[in-house]
């Protein structure tokens, strides 16, 4: 500083200008390190389960990371059963979208609970302690089991809730997917909770149950509340008036080791917090299943519509409460 002060004015000015340039460049480099969680070309793996909604959510997470960071994303989608959980624990994937009710009953093997906040806090605490996995903020929708009947039957018989079908069940045929039949929060507990006894209960591929219901081959099914075919095929979702089903709030699961290596990932993924409503998820599912649109394009269009398709300053997580519509 003393040498700079004694230099001629012109020389001092030039040196000050160069010093300012160096400081700006250094500041920019620091901001880049803060904004991007890893070096250019480093890889992480995003997984998903083996149905449309999961693949869409996995693609949304992958594209968001790609557009906001220097990381290369490897997609490991379409993993059946509990393979996503096993792959996460084994370090074969770094993250995937999961549902709170699934984490509670299938992975932790706890009894179903109806309070969304309690379920979220339970899985968040237990996953961190037992598996070294963090639940990030919920995405905004609850994909619970949906007990569905034809809209015409609901109007004709004045059906509003699941309890309303008890008197008709002995003459009805039901169609349920393998997942609903086998889960601890599925068929057996469901019929006990509501005192139901069907004339016939068929195990069917979930994707076929909607068509079977619409065509009169069965009278009631257990679908997913975010399925786009519900509205498109004129089906009616009966209210779970005995609160049997736990909440299934969707949220990203990320290995804690991954968040330590790439800490900015938490803020990047939390840009999706509260960003997807039930109606929006139904529409995304229908675009892929009903309109046969490419998953990558559907995800890209959604992120663009939300203004999330380009890097932006992350200041805080947008509010997303478990169980919010």
């Amino acid at each position: 500083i003393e040498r700079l002060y004694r230099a001629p004015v012109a020389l001092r000015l030039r040196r000050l200008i160069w010093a300012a340039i160096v400081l700006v460049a250094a500041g920019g480099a620091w901001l880049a390190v803060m904004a991007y969680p890893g070096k250019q070309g480093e890889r992480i793996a995003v997984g998903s389960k083996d149905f449309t909604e999961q693949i869409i959510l996995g693609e949304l997470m992958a594209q968001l990371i790609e557009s906001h960071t220097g990381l290369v994303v490897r997609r490991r989608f379409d993993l059946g059963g509990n393979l996503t959980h096993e792959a996460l624990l084994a370090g074969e994937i770094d993250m995937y979208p999961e549902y709170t009710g699934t984490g509670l009953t299938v992975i932790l093997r706890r009894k179903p609970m109806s309070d969304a906040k309690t379920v979220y806090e339970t899985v968040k605490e237990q996953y961190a302690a037992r598996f070294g996995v963090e639940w990030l903020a919920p995405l905004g929708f609850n994909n619970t089991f949906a007990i569905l009947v034809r809209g015409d039957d609901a109007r004709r018989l004045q059906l509003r809730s699941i309890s309303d079908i008890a008197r008709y069940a002995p003459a009805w045929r039901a169609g349920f997917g393998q997942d609903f039949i086998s889960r601890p929060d599925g068929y057996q507990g469901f019929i006990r909770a509501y005192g139901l006894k069907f004339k016939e209960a068929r195990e069917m591929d979930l994707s076929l149950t909607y068509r079977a219901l619409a065509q009169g081959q069965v009278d009631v099914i257990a679908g997913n509340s975010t399925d786009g075919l519900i509205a498109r095929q004129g089906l009616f979702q009966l209210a779970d008036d005995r609160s049997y089903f736990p909440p299934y709030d969707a949220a990203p699961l990320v290995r804690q080791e991954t968040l330590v290596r790439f800490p900015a990932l938490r803020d990047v993924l939390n840009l999706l917090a509260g960003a997807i409503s039930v109606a929006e998820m139904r529409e995304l599912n229908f675009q892929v299943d009903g309109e046969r649109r490419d998953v990558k394009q559907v995800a890209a269009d959604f992120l663009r519509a939300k203004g999330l398709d380009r890097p932006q300053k992350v200041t805080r997580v947008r509010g997303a409460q478990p169980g919010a519509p």
Side-chain angles (χ1 to χ4, degrees), residues 237-283:
Q237 181 176 346
L238 299 169
D240 180 16
D241 53 307
R242 297 188 181 179
S243 300
Y244 169 71
F245 297 115
Y248 294 88
D249 291 302
L253 289 191
V254 189
R255 288 168 53 84
Q256 290 178 338
E257 291 181 4
T258 302
L259 292 174
V260 170
R261 290 173 59 209
F262 311 116
L265 277 177
R266 180 183 286 102
D267 285 342
V268 169
L269 289 171
N270 275 336
L271 290 170
L272 288 173
I276 311 174
S277 67
V278 170
E280 287 172 325
M281 196 67 244
R282 282 185 180 180
E283 180 60 29

Side-chain angles (χ1 to χ4, degrees), residues 221-250:
I221 66 171
N224 297 317
S225 61
T226 56
D227 201 304
L229 295 176
I230 294 175
R232 307 286 176 160
Q233 294 192 353
L235 307 181
F236 181 81
Q237 181 176 346
L238 299 169
D240 180 16
D241 53 307
R242 297 188 181 179
S243 300
Y244 169 71
F245 297 115
Y248 294 88
D249 291 302

Side-chain angles (χ1 to χ4, degrees), residues 195-209:
L196 301 175
K197 184 175 182 181
F198 294 106
K199 176 182 179 181
E200 180 184 0
R202 305 178 189 176
E203 182 175 324
M204 308 173 64
D205 184 275
L206 179 62
S207 62
L208 298 178
T209 59

Side-chain angles (χ1 to χ4, degrees), residues 150-228:
R150 288 178 290 276
D152 290 343
D153 288 346
R155 288 185 289 272
R156 178 172 55 85
L157 301 175
Q158 297 185 328
L159 305 176
R160 293 293 177 268
S161 66
I162 299 173
S163 294
D164 292 339
I165 69 173
R167 59 186 297 189
Y168 305 105
W172 277 12
R173 297 157 298 172
F176 299 125
Q178 186 276 333
D179 193 40
F180 185 75
I181 291 289
S182 62
R183 288 173 63 111
D185 53 348
Y187 178 71
Q188 292 297 333
F190 167 67
I191 60 174
R192 285 196 301 270
Y194 282 97
L196 301 175
K197 184 175 182 181
F198 294 106
K199 176 182 179 181
E200 180 184 0
R202 305 178 189 176
E203 182 175 324
M204 308 173 64
D205 184 275
L206 179 62
S207 62
L208 298 178
T209 59
Y210 292 90
R211 185 186 307 170
L213 180 60
Q215 295 178 351
Q217 297 172 15
V218 295
D219 302 293
V220 60
I221 66 171
N224 297 317
S225 61
T226 56
D227 201 304

Side-chain angles (χ1 to χ4, degrees), residues 10-231:
L11 180 58
R12 272 188 280 164
L13 182 60
R14 285 198 298 271
R15 289 178 178 176
L16 285 171
I17 292 173
W18 278 110
I21 292 173
V22 170
L23 286 173
V24 169
W30 181 84
L31 288 173
V33 170
M34 294 301 292
Y36 295 100
K39 297 177 182 178
Q40 293 285 334
E42 286 192 294
R43 294 175 177 268
I44 61 169
V46 176
S48 85
K49 300 183 183 184
D50 59 346
F51 56 93
T52 298
E53 178 170 297
Q54 277 275 307
I55 296 171
I56 293 172
L57 294 178
E59 185 63 32
L60 286 171
M61 292 164 61
Q63 290 190 24
L64 195 66
I65 292 169
E66 288 172 336
S67 65
H68 286 69
T69 76
L71 295 171
V72 175
V73 177
R74 183 164 58 99
R75 291 158 172 81
R76 291 202 59 195
F77 297 165
D78 213 24
L79 301 175
N82 289 332
L83 288 180
T84 46
H85 177 72
E86 295 167 5
L88 190 70
L89 298 192
E92 296 174 5
I93 60 175
D94 294 284
M95 65 189 71
Y96 78 95
E98 185 56 283
Y99 306 94
T100 54
T102 301
L104 180 74
T105 60
V106 177
I107 303 301
L108 299 178
R109 299 188 181 280
R110 298 287 188 90
K111 292 182 179 180
M113 297 185 289
S114 59
D115 182 72
K117 184 178 180 181
T118 301
V119 173
Y120 177 77
E121 291 175 348
T122 299
V123 295
K124 184 176 179 67
E125 177 186 349
Q126 290 297 309
Y127 267 67
R130 293 176 55 177
F131 308 130
V133 171
E134 183 169 337
W135 284 79
L136 299 187
L139 301 177
F141 69 90
N142 173 19
N143 184 6
T144 188
F145 283 114
I147 303 303
L148 303 170
V149 297
R150 288 178 290 276
D152 290 343
D153 288 346
R155 288 185 289 272
R156 178 172 55 85
L157 301 175
Q158 297 185 328
L159 305 176
R160 293 293 177 268
S161 66
I162 299 173
S163 294
D164 292 339
I165 69 173
R167 59 186 297 189
Y168 305 105
W172 277 12
R173 297 157 298 172
F176 299 125
Q178 186 276 333
D179 193 40
F180 185 75
I181 291 289
S182 62
R183 288 173 63 111
D185 53 348
Y187 178 71
Q188 292 297 333
F190 167 67
I191 60 174
R192 285 196 301 270
Y194 282 97
L196 301 175
K197 184 175 182 181
F198 294 106
K199 176 182 179 181
E200 180 184 0
R202 305 178 189 176
E203 182 175 324
M204 308 173 64
D205 184 275
L206 179 62
S207 62
L208 298 178
T209 59
Y210 292 90
R211 185 186 307 170
L213 180 60
Q215 295 178 351
Q217 297 172 15
V218 295
D219 302 293
V220 60
I221 66 171
N224 297 317
S225 61
T226 56
D227 201 304
L229 295 176
I230 294 175

